[in-house]
Amino acid sequence: MNLQQLAAFRAVMMTGTVSGAAEVLGRSQPAVSRMLDRLEADLGLTLFERRKGLIMPMPQARRLLDEVERAYVSLDSLQALATRLAKGQGDQVNLAILPALGLSFMPRVIARFRDERPGTRVSLAIRMSPTVEEWAAGQQVDFGFAEMPVRRTGFDTEIFSDSPYVAAVPSDHDLADRSCLGPTDLAKGPLIYWTPFVAARHLLDQALITSGVRVEALCETSLSGAAYEMVKQGLGIAVIDPYTAILQRDDRIRLIPFRPAIPFSVALLRPQFRAATPAVERMLELAKMERDKVLAEVPS
């Protein structure tokens, strides 16, 4: 197994065809086919099913692609660092952030950081929390933000934020004039709910069960940003994280405290074997300052 074989595999997975991969790589189709055959032989795996000129990825190919993508992240970072070092520009901050903080919050932090350090390169990867954990454990980032609880080791963990989720209600909804919402109010929806693998879903499920409330969600999503957009479109009400609520505020939406409080617990993950630079420490300082500014506006 070598980099050329992995490049051929990755190109086929990305383009969906051997011909597309050959065009991307600047190689002939037979050459790409030979590299795939050799990779399968070296790994002892059948990665693709060939049928009448079509090539179909097997489940193990998709698993392998995840690992290959992580390897490419490391290689790209190595190449970029070498280029900057050659130019005398070594500073870089690599981040892996869950979507709730990655889409709006961190860009604001990065803007302030770049005002102070215009020569420092910043790489922001927005990933779901399990992947953020994985990258932090693999020492691939300078720090990450992931939702609690965390399940891996290889990084130091501290609570970055635990402000509660809030209810988002259309401004013309019957509940819009309430000062606080609870589980029984969600039955008046329609409710835009979390998908089952989101941590908040289980906490909200428990609150509903404790209150003896049954709800049927017509829409489910894994992202607060998507839930908030659905509320804006009048599709129902939702319980969303405080960062999305404040940074994507809209006059069409009323933000209302939800009780019992469900904390949106965000962990700061700092890889144990990756030394923090002054640039990294300053980024964290600015993130904490911006956090305090945002959370001061959360209704309570």
Side-chain angles (χ1 to χ4, degrees):
M1 182 172 60
N2 57 44
L3 287 177
Q4 288 188 339
Q5 293 170 358
L6 293 177
F9 166 75
R10 182 171 182 259
V12 169
M13 293 294 289
M14 300 300 285
T15 63
T17 63
V18 173
S19 60
E23 183 175 350
V24 168
L25 298 172
R27 306 292 294 268
S28 67
Q29 291 187 43
V32 172
S33 294
R34 286 194 296 271
M35 285 189 281
L36 292 179
D37 291 341
R38 184 60 184 171
L39 178 62
E40 289 180 316
D42 289 346
L43 294 176
L45 292 172
T46 299
L47 299 174
F48 299 97
E49 181 182 358
R50 283 85 167 171
R51 285 186 290 176
K52 297 180 180 180
L54 299 176
I55 186 166
M56 307 295 293
M58 303 290 284
Q60 49 265 42
R62 303 190 188 282
R63 292 283 302 278
L64 180 62
L65 180 63
D66 291 339
E67 294 298 325
V68 171
E69 289 294 346
R70 280 188 283 274
Y72 266 83
V73 168
S74 296
L75 288 172
D76 288 345
S77 177
L78 177 62
Q79 184 177 21
L81 176 60
T83 300
R84 290 194 308 280
L85 289 174
K87 296 179 179 178
Q89 303 171 349
D91 276 355
Q92 175 171 344
V93 180
N94 295 300
L95 314 171
I97 310 294
L98 79 166
L101 273 67
L103 294 174
S104 297
F105 175 78
M106 281 310 299
R108 293 164 68 106
V109 175
I110 292 169
R112 294 186 62 184
F113 178 83
R114 291 278 294 168
D115 285 343
E116 296 182 5
R117 297 171 178 260
T120 300
R121 184 173 183 268
V122 179
S123 175
L124 171 63
I126 300 174
R127 295 290 187 274
M128 300 303 286
S129 290
T131 302
V132 174
E133 287 187 48
E134 189 173 339
W135 287 17
Q139 317 300 303
Q140 294 176 268
V141 294
D142 290 300
F143 68 84
F145 289 136
E147 190 167 6
M148 296 285 283
V150 295
R151 297 174 174 82
R152 289 179 174 267
T153 58
F155 47 77
D156 295 321
T157 304
E158 65 180 81
I159 295 296
F160 177 76
S161 171
D162 59 2
S163 185
Y165 286 87
V166 297
V169 179
S171 58
D172 59 354
H173 195 280
D174 290 344
L175 297 173
D177 61 349
R178 299 284 295 276
S179 60
C180 178
L181 295 184
T184 55
D185 297 307
L186 298 184
K188 302 173 184 177
L191 178 64
I192 300 164
Y193 213 9
W194 299 106
T195 51
F197 62 85
V198 176
R201 167 68 179 260
H202 304 292
L203 297 174
L204 192 52
D205 279 346
Q206 187 59 49
L208 292 169
I209 291 170
T210 301
S211 300
V213 177
R214 288 178 57 88
V215 298
E216 292 189 12
L218 298 181
C219 298
E220 292 185 347
T221 180
S222 59
L223 298 178
S224 273
Y228 204 30
E229 288 300 321
M230 292 183 196
V231 177
K232 289 179 185 179
Q233 298 303 319
L235 296 177
I237 63 178
V239 177
I240 62 174
D241 75 83
Y243 292 89
T244 300
I246 297 304
L247 296 178
Q248 298 183 25
R249 276 180 297 192
D250 189 287
D251 291 341
R252 291 170 288 178
I253 304 297
R254 172 91 194 286
L255 300 176
I256 305 174
F258 185 83
R259 300 287 186 272
I262 298 175
F264 177 54
S265 298
V266 178
L268 166 62
L269 311 182
R270 304 191 65 167
Q272 292 176 342
F273 307 108
R274 189 173 175 122
T277 65
V280 171
E281 295 296 348
R282 183 55 180 161
M283 179 75 81
L284 280 172
E285 289 176 4
L286 292 173
K288 291 174 181 178
M289 292 168 61
E290 189 67 23
R291 170 202 62 194
D292 295 343
K293 180 180 176 182
V294 170
L295 297 184
E297 300 184 49
V298 177
S300 59

